[in-house]
Each structure stands twice: as structure tokens, then as C-alpha cells.
Amino acid sequence: MAIDLRARLSRLVSRLPDEDVRATLAFAEERAAQRDPLEEKLLAAPEENEELGDDEVAAIRDGLADREAGRVYSAESVKRELGI
């Protein structure tokens, strides 16, 4: 699938005017620089087709309810708590 997407992108870029190619290249370079190795591995991992179990669905609903009720922690407060 990724190869098909890359081929489609390549065909589209070959049809762009030069000024759009420059802008597209700048975007792609910026985006590539933002990627980290973990993100790359996660993006390359195969998709899961497994159904969620009742416990998993309940945990997701609990988390969403916590978020709606404001029972959340900022990344900064978690880092402070963990001494990171």
C-alpha cells in the first residue's frame, strides 16, 4: 500500500509547476525532520484488524468520561511527578 501511495505522490508531483514543487519539497523536508524512529516504526506497523473486547471498550469509555469531567493530567505535571 505504501508503495502505491508513493507512486501516486510521485506522479502528482511530476505534474506540478516549479513553484509548487518547491513548496511541496519544503513541506516534505520539514515533515521528515519531525519524525522520530519510534514514530517511523509505528507508522510502518501492520494495521490491527482485531475487534476490541468489552473490557477495552469500557476502559476507553472510562477514559473519555474522565477527560470530559476534567480528570486529566498535563504532560508537564506527569513529568514533574516522575522527575523527568
Side-chain angles (χ1 to χ4, degrees), residues 3-66:
I3 293 173
D4 292 339
L5 293 175
R6 290 177 187 279
R8 284 178 54 199
L9 180 59
S10 179
R11 285 192 301 273
L12 286 171
V13 169
S14 69
R15 295 177 15 211
L16 292 174
D18 286 346
E19 60 273 8
D20 290 345
V21 170
R22 281 191 271 294
T24 303
L25 177 60
F27 170 79
E29 288 174 337
E30 181 179 325
R31 184 67 181 110
Q34 294 172 357
R35 289 266 169 85
D36 65 25
L38 176 59
E39 182 182 13
E40 291 294 329
K41 289 192 183 295
L42 291 173
L43 289 172
E47 286 189 33
E48 292 284 331
N49 292 326
E50 189 175 316
E51 293 290 321
L52 294 175
D54 292 340
D55 290 343
E56 294 163 316
V57 171
I60 291 169
R61 286 191 177 129
D62 289 346
L64 292 172
D66 284 341

